[in-house]
Amino acid sequence: MNFTNQIYAHLSASMPNMTARKFSSYCGMSEGYFGSITAQGLEISTNALFHLAEVINQHNRKSASLELHRSIDMMASEIARRMQDMPTASYVIRKQVIGALGMAYAKRELEFTAPPVLIG
């Protein structure tokens, strides 16, 4: 079973209302995306995987779930694996991309502020 089918099965078990069309739209693609890549034996694109992880993260923030958190971890691990599979000729670029991701994450975490509290 390839990664695309694994993450779809995991999300389907975690989110009972998950359909192939909804999965495709969560990937930021057309409704037929999942069926198309499955029929062709292709993996989900990295961009679609990023989009899916963001959407699932938002769902997890609304109603926290250990299974959704595991799905996000699976997607993050797959993205990291794909980044490591870049050709070694692009080592400098890979290092810059990983560094940029780390800085973007740190910046996002540092920009968080709690909402103001009004006492009246």
Side-chain angles (χ1 to χ4, degrees):
M1 179 183 280
N2 66 17
F3 178 77
T4 304
N5 291 330
Q6 286 177 345
I7 196 67
Y8 177 75
H10 198 267
L11 288 173
S12 293
S14 305
M15 304 170 77
N17 61 347
M18 179 62 70
T19 64
R21 289 181 179 195
K22 188 173 282 194
F23 180 85
S24 297
S25 64
Y26 283 3
C27 291
M29 301 295 187
S30 68
E31 290 183 345
Y33 177 72
F34 178 72
S36 177
I37 62 172
T38 301
Q40 295 175 60
L42 301 174
E43 288 286 354
I44 185 173
S45 74
T46 304
N47 285 341
L49 191 55
F50 270 112
H51 196 276
L52 178 63
E54 286 292 328
V55 171
I56 298 304
N57 189 40
Q58 290 302 317
H59 279 279
N60 195 33
R61 286 183 182 191
K62 289 179 188 172
S63 58
S65 161
L66 182 59
E67 289 305 312
L68 289 181
H69 185 72
R70 286 184 184 151
S71 297
I72 294 165
D73 285 345
M74 288 172 61
M75 290 182 271
S77 296
E78 176 66 12
I79 291 167
R81 186 195 64 75
R82 289 180 183 189
M83 291 185 77
Q84 291 301 317
D85 286 346
M86 287 179 167
T88 54
S90 65
Y91 175 75
V92 173
I93 300 298
R94 180 176 18 154
K95 186 176 173 184
Q96 288 175 329
V97 168
I98 292 170
L101 285 171
M103 288 190 308
Y105 177 77
K107 181 180 175 186
R108 186 178 77 187
E109 290 297 311
L110 292 174
E111 288 179 352
F112 175 78
T113 56
V117 177
L118 301 174
I119 300 174

